Structure formats: structure tokens, C-alpha cells
Amino acid sequence: MGIVAIVGRPNVGKSTLFNRLAGRRQAIVDPVSGVTRDRHYGRTDWNGREFSIIDTGGYAEKSGDFFEEQIQQQVLIAIDQSDVVLFVVDVQTGITDYDEIVAEILRKSGKNVIVVVNKVDDGRSIYDTYAFHALGLGDPISISAISGSGTGDLLDKVLELLPEKKATEQEQQIPRLAIVGKPNVGKSSLVNALLDEERSIVTSLPGTTRDSIATHYNKFGYEFLLIDTAGLRKKSKTKEDLEFYASMRSIRAIEQSDVCIVMMDASLGIEAQDLNIFHLVWKNKKGCVVVINKWDLVEKDTNTQDAFEKVIRQRIAPFTDVPILFTSVIKKQRILHILKTASEVFESKSKRIPTSQLNEVMLPLIERTPPPATKGKYIKIKYITQLPTSSPSFAFFCNLPQYVKEPYKRFLENTLREHFDFHGVPIQIFMRKK
């Protein structure tokens, strides 16, 4: 899946464009505010191809002055991580000095860039867009982000530029395991502990993008493609830049993976950034294993681990059915248990339940605990089948699907988990008209 980054100076309409593009498919879009403080991340599709959108809106607005260095930092991060850059400019102001700075960086990058001339709200403004050819980045596309005019042509152009890399047969068969988390939680240490011993049996395979490398791991009876985000942070003077860079790395790794190892630092407890990364994993429908590293640094008594685990499950609710492991990577404690658990989660994610077995188990349970009646109408669920999706999804066919509320869907999900063991895997429930 490709990443499209929206860049440009403040007040040109970056966030409006993001909302316009992401809002096209509300069913699959999940803008996550707070992956870093001002950033937004969404998923959408156009003509059947799905891709991610990053909004860098407000990047330099926090400072009193708009420094050239800050513009450069924003654009460089976007260049490094995205497949296509949408460079948004304002038809009403024409080309400014700051636009020139951004354009120069983009020209040198060789990246796929589309100049998006925003606020073209009437026919007269269209003629003003020709001036933006002077940026030297190809033909500009004129749009009005507020009304949506021109966004269809823009998305057609995006699809032309997004790479279509297909995984090799070998890559398709091997589970893809991503190690994600905040900086300094021990991702590098875990990768080194897994790989350092027998380098001779490790072969590097090209990742889905030019920036991420999937390393073929085949030891101790486990075989994975390890997608490593460790040690890849960009040096920067500001914490915000680091957070943005790390979050884009995490998004890349999560989208390429089947199962994610979400690492947290035991000495810090679970923080907001940990939760953001966890929710990105869960909402991208990936298998998940939570690893609490540096457990050797925590003063413990007989109840410490249980209490710590209880706090984590409370914070990640309602997605609580995930394995939580306590390790010390530096001391190589329980490292193989991480691989064993990740392998089990992958098997759960890939599990297919025969339709006959599903109905045999679930229908009697549903009959004993039927959906609550709504407006005097009784809901009858007659048939269940698993859908052919990459993560477990189930269709429940009934007479009044619109009246089945979220609490009952959670009951169905929990019942499926209890009887078919989907530990560590998101489940989707769809109510369909019979």
C-alpha cells in the first residue's frame, strides 16, 4: 500500500484536502489524530486501489516565525517516507518565496510530485494556475478542496504515480513480522538479539518500499520476514520532527506486516504514544503481540506483573484479547517466546472456520442469547459465514441487520474468540440482510 503525503506552507488548504480525500470512503478511513501532536493519518481508496494519506498540516504554525529550516524539515520527512507528494499551493497568492524553497527541495529529490493549485473556485482562477508551471514540477492540477472540484482528476494522477509492487511467491508465503514502538524501547536490541548469532543464515530481501528492508529470519524452527523500524530515526533538533518521522516509519511497517510486535518500556509504563501505535495496529487489522521490555529494571513482588498487565489491558480496552509478554531483551530473556507467540497469532489470523462448524457452534448460542428486540421487532440470525478477507471477518445474515447494536456485535465477537481462539487478532462483524 502506498503513502501519499500532503505538504505546503500554512493556510493553503492541506488539511481541507486531507479531509476531502479521506472522507471519500468513511467505511475504511480511520484518521488518527495524535499519532504525533498535529498530524493526521487516513486510509482511502480510488478506483479499487487503497492507499494512505498523511496530512502534515500545522507543521510550522506553532512557531512565531516561519523559518526556512522548518519548511525544509517538513518536506524532507515527507520525501523520505512517501511514494507521492502532493505539493499544495494557493492560486490566490501565486508563487511565494516559501513555495520556491519547497519546490527546490522537491525538484532535487526526484520524488513523484504533483503540484496541487488549491482555491480554484471559479472559471477565472483556472487561468492563474498556469503560473505554477514556473515551479518546474510538471503540469499543475487545479482543485477546490472545499467543494471537491478537480479532486477526481487529482486522484487519477495519484494512481498513475503510485508504485504497484507485487510480493514474490516466497514473500507471500512467509509471515511478515513488524517490530514497532516508540524510540528507545528496545526495538534495535530485539532485532540484534534475533539476528546477531548466526548471520550466515540471514538473507536480505527488498521490502515493499525503498526505505524498509524485510530481513528473512529462519532460526529455531521459526520463519518470518522481519520488518525493522529500529535505528532509522532521522537526526533533528526538535522532538516534533522525531515523533513525526517515527510515526511514518511505524505506519509503513504496520501496513506491510501480518503481525506486529508492539514494544513498550516497562520503566516508563504505557504512554500515549504507545497507545497510538497499538491502535494503529488494531485498526489496520493486523495481528498483535504486546512486549513489555526492560522488565529487569522494575522492582517486583509477587503481584507486580499481574498488576502491570491489568493496567495495560484497561488502557487498550476494548481491544483486550492480545498476548502481553514481559521480557528483558538485553538479557535475552523470553525472546523465543515472542517468536512462538507471534507465530501463534499469525495462525489465528490466517484461520478459516468451515461454514458448517460456524453455524453448528454459534446458532444455538445465539438462540439462547438473542439480540434485544428493538421497537417491538425481533431479530432472527439465521446463517453465518466467514468472509474471504486477510483478517477474520464474519457475516451474520438476519432479518433486521440495521437494528443490531454495537454491544451485541461485541458479544458475537467475544463468543467467536472463546470458541475458535482468535487471540491477538482483530475480528470484524458484519450484519447482512438474509
Side-chain angles (χ1 to χ4, degrees), residues 20 32 58 72 78 109-110 197 205 245 249 270 321 342 367 373 383 398 415 420:
R20 169 66 58 180
V32 179
Q72 289 175 336
S109 73
E197 261 179 46
L205 297 173
Y245 192 82
R249 284 284 186 197
I270 182 168
D321 188 22
E367 196 171 331
Y383 180 75
C398 61
T415 306
F420 299 108

Coordinates of all heavy atoms in Angstrom, one line a residue, residues 20 32 58 72 78 109-110 197 205 245 249 270 321 342 367 373 383 398 415 420:
R20 N -11.1 16.0 2.6 CA -11.8 15.8 1.3 C -11.5 14.4 0.8 O -12.4 13.6 0.4 CB -11.5 16.9 0.3 CG -12.0 16.6 -1.1 CD -13.5 16.6 -1.2 NE -14.1 17.8 -0.8 CZ -15.5 18.0 -0.8 NH1 -16.3 17.0 -1.3 NH2 -16.0 19.1 -0.4
V32 N -6.3 9.1 12.4 CA -5.8 9.0 13.8 C -5.1 10.3 14.2 O -4.1 10.6 13.7 CB -4.8 7.8 13.9 CG1 -4.3 7.7 15.3 CG2 -5.5 6.6 13.5
G58 N -0.2 22.3 9.7 CA 0.2 22.9 11.0 C 1.6 22.6 11.5 O 2.0 22.9 12.6
Q72 N 12.0 23.1 5.3 CA 12.9 22.0 4.8 C 12.7 20.7 5.5 O 12.6 19.6 4.9 CB 14.3 22.4 4.8 CG 14.6 23.6 3.8 CD 16.1 24.0 4.0 OE1 16.7 23.9 5.0 NE2 16.6 24.6 2.9
A78 N 8.6 14.1 4.6 CA 7.6 13.6 3.6 C 8.3 12.9 2.4 O 7.8 11.9 2.0 CB 6.7 14.8 3.2
S109 N 14.9 16.1 -5.3 CA 14.6 14.8 -4.7 C 14.3 13.7 -5.7 O 14.6 12.5 -5.4 CB 13.4 14.9 -3.8 OG 12.2 15.0 -4.5
G110 N 13.8 14.1 -6.9 CA 13.4 13.1 -7.8 C 12.2 12.3 -7.5 O 11.8 11.3 -8.1
E197 N 23.4 -13.8 16.2 CA 24.1 -15.0 16.5 C 24.6 -15.8 15.2 O 25.7 -16.2 15.1 CB 23.2 -16.0 17.3 CG 23.5 -15.9 18.7 CD 22.6 -16.9 19.5 OE1 22.3 -18.0 19.1 OE2 22.0 -16.4 20.5
L205 N 16.0 -9.4 1.9 CA 15.1 -9.3 0.7 C 14.6 -7.8 0.6 O 14.4 -7.2 1.6 CB 13.9 -10.2 0.9 CG 14.2 -11.7 1.0 CD1 12.9 -12.5 1.4 CD2 14.8 -12.2 -0.3
Y245 N 8.6 11.6 12.2 CA 9.4 10.6 11.4 C 9.1 9.2 11.9 O 8.9 8.3 11.2 CB 10.8 11.0 11.6 CG 11.7 10.3 10.6 CD1 11.9 10.7 9.3 CD2 12.4 9.1 11.0 CE1 12.7 10.0 8.4 CE2 13.2 8.5 10.1 CZ 13.3 8.9 8.8 OH 14.1 8.3 7.9
R249 N 7.4 6.0 10.0 CA 8.1 4.7 9.9 C 7.1 3.6 10.4 O 7.0 2.5 9.9 CB 9.3 4.7 10.8 CG 10.5 5.4 10.2 CD 11.2 4.6 9.2 NE 12.4 5.3 8.7 CZ 13.0 5.0 7.6 NH1 12.5 4.0 6.8 NH2 14.1 5.6 7.2
I270 N 2.8 2.5 30.3 CA 2.2 2.7 29.0 C 1.8 4.1 28.8 O 1.1 4.7 29.6 CB 1.0 1.8 28.8 CG1 0.3 1.9 27.4 CG2 -0.1 2.0 29.9 CD1 -0.7 0.9 27.1
D321 N -8.0 -8.6 24.0 CA -7.7 -10.0 23.8 C -6.4 -10.1 23.0 O -6.3 -10.6 21.9 CB -8.8 -10.7 23.0 CG -8.6 -12.2 23.0 OD1 -7.8 -12.8 23.8 OD2 -9.1 -12.9 22.0
A342 N 4.1 -14.8 18.4 CA 3.8 -14.2 17.1 C 3.4 -15.2 16.0 O 2.5 -15.0 15.2 CB 5.0 -13.4 16.6
E367 N -29.3 -18.4 19.8 CA -30.7 -18.7 20.2 C -30.9 -18.5 21.7 O -32.0 -18.0 22.1 CB -31.1 -20.1 19.7 CG -32.6 -20.4 19.7 CD -32.9 -21.7 19.0 OE1 -32.2 -22.1 18.1 OE2 -33.9 -22.3 19.4
A373 N -34.8 -7.1 21.4 CA -35.8 -6.6 20.4 C -35.7 -5.0 20.4 O -35.4 -4.4 21.4 CB -37.2 -7.0 20.9
Y383 N -28.0 -17.4 9.7 CA -26.9 -18.1 9.0 C -25.6 -17.2 9.2 O -25.7 -16.0 9.2 CB -27.2 -18.1 7.5 CG -26.2 -18.7 6.6 CD1 -26.0 -20.1 6.5 CD2 -25.4 -17.9 5.7 CE1 -25.1 -20.6 5.6 CE2 -24.5 -18.4 4.8 CZ -24.3 -19.8 4.8 OH -23.4 -20.4 4.0
C398 N -29.4 -11.9 8.8 CA -30.6 -11.8 9.7 C -31.6 -10.9 9.0 O -31.4 -10.4 7.9 CB -30.2 -11.1 11.1 SG -29.5 -9.5 10.9
T415 N -17.8 -14.3 21.6 CA -18.2 -15.7 21.5 C -17.4 -16.4 20.5 O -16.9 -17.5 20.7 CB -19.7 -15.8 21.1 OG1 -20.5 -15.0 22.1 CG2 -20.2 -17.2 21.2
F420 N -13.3 -20.3 19.1 CA -12.4 -20.6 17.9 C -11.0 -20.0 18.1 O -10.2 -20.1 17.2 CB -13.0 -20.0 16.6 CG -14.3 -20.7 16.3 CD1 -15.5 -19.9 16.5 CD2 -14.4 -22.0 15.9 CE1 -16.7 -20.5 16.2 CE2 -15.6 -22.6 15.6 CZ -16.8 -21.8 15.8

